[in-house]
Amino acid sequence: MTRTLSVAVLAGDGIGPEIIPPTLDILDRAARLAGAPSLEWHHVDAGAAHYARTGESLPVAGMDIARGADAILLAAMGLPSVRYPDGTEIAPQLELREAFDLYAGVRPIRTVPGVPLPLADSRGASLDAVLIRESTEGLFYCRGRTKIAEDDSFASDEMRLTRHTSERLFAFAFDLARQRKAAGKPGRVTLIDKANVIGSFAWLRRIFLETAERYPDIETECAYVDAMALNLVRRPWDYDVMVTENMFGDILSDLGAALMGGLGMAPSADIGDSHAVFQPCHGSAPDIAGEGKANPTAMILSGAMMLEWLGHRHDAPTAVDAARMVEHAVSAAFADGALLPGEFGGSAGTAAVGQAVLERLG
Ligand code: ATP
Ligand code: MG
């Protein structure tokens, strides 16, 4: 077993530098308590503020640190006031996903009891589903490639779905459904698309069903994205593993975050065959940056996902134990309903939430 695990840390912009310190404290302590390999943090300066200062959003040296690390922990990147010349926002997280081929964006929709939730139905309080968002192509393929007619009469963007990425994405979803089934979950994968209107999605559905043949023990289902927007609000407890294209996944992850109470509760991981980035579903929240109000829970839970992934990858079961400890500490901190981050109308700021979780680690 390795004795140390190296992690590139990209705090980034806005609330990023506020939610990283409590997260690193919690991960360090959990690793120590679980007897896991110690975590070596390598800080990388990148993002919109860095671009405004230097003209580079993610320097080559930072990219090299990220490439050489065992995992990448990223808080948030981008500020509405700082843009590339074409008007799009600075988004090194998208560059990392493309550079390291991080095709599987894993977004758990798992509720934490004690957190105020939007759904009145009590079944909404025990959700445990996962949305997998393809993270390298799809409708985001057009980034930096938009065509605007010379006479300004139209603009067009291309969507691209590839067989190579789609097959790996679906295999990832089915493997996850199988692991979850072994732990008592339904064992079902729902493909979310718009195959009734867009031909590429009809093609994608065919690839999905081809992959499904290799997993006869897993149920499959295909659904249109508009219907899923309705169903995820009306009966989210009916879903197990969902898989979808990049942009649909971007939109539905925010819906999933709302089902958990808010963006400050929603962790995520972007996983490829050799690298992975762990970051909250939310962005840099410039409207509350600098006020110490941000809820660090999504960041902390993303760190737990990182420990789990590292543990499986490096044959270090103690790192998986540390991940479980962090998740339990988060649950314990919120359990009695007294810990209310600003996001839920309460007064607990970033430091208070971080401290509450740290104390529950023991
Ligand atoms: P991105 O394009 O990177 O997804 P975004 O424009 O969708 O970013 P966010 O930065 O995610 O926007 O913020 C959306 C809203 O959610 C803002 O009002 C923000 O303050 C709030 N928010 C986001 N993250 C948190 C958090 N951790 N704690 C509290 N509020 C948050
Ligand atoms: Mg967003």
Side-chain angles (χ1 to χ4, degrees), residues 144-157:
R145 298 185 175 96
T146 299
K147 292 194 184 67
I148 298 178
E150 269 178 28
D151 66 358
D152 219 25
S153 59
F154 69 87
S156 69
D157 279 311

Side-chain angles (χ1 to χ4, degrees), residues 139-296:
L139 278 157
F140 277 33
Y141 173 78
C142 63
R143 213 172 59 90
R145 298 185 175 96
T146 299
K147 292 194 184 67
I148 298 178
E150 269 178 28
D151 66 358
D152 219 25
S153 59
F154 69 87
S156 69
D157 279 311
E158 183 187 347
M159 169 171 78
R160 179 168 295 199
L161 303 168
T162 66
R163 175 177 280 275
H164 181 56
T165 295
S166 305
E167 284 177 347
R168 285 182 300 161
L169 177 79
F170 295 145
F172 186 98
F174 279 102
D175 287 337
L176 180 64
R178 204 172 249 174
Q179 281 165 30
R180 287 168 57 88
K181 191 177 182 184
K185 297 285 180 288
R188 189 183 318 115
V189 181
T190 306
L191 171 69
I192 303 171
D193 63 29
K194 192 69 186 172
N196 51 340
V197 177
I198 297 173
S200 312
F201 283 123
W203 175 87
L204 187 68
R205 208 176 252 217
R206 184 155 57 75
I207 310 278
F208 176 73
L209 295 172
E210 276 171 29
T211 310
E213 283 175 18
R214 300 208 311 272
Y215 297 85
D217 50 321
I218 301 301
E219 268 180 69
T220 53
E221 173 181 50
C222 299
Y224 300 130
V225 64
D226 45 340
M228 283 302 289
L230 180 96
N231 290 340
L232 279 174
V233 173
R234 203 162 57 176
R235 47 181 184 86
W237 39 84
D238 282 354
Y239 296 95
D240 183 12
V241 175
M242 293 165 273
V243 62
T244 191
E245 176 275 332
N246 204 340
M247 170 100 93
F248 291 166
D250 183 36
I251 298 167
L252 292 178
S253 338
D254 274 29
L255 199 161
L259 295 173
M260 288 183 265
L263 277 169
M265 298 303 296
S268 88
D270 287 299
I271 297 180
D273 294 331
S274 56
H275 290 84
V277 172
F278 300 83
Q279 72 169 111
C281 282
H282 60 73
S284 64
D287 52 332
I288 56 164
E291 296 177 28
K293 281 190 199 161
N295 181 359

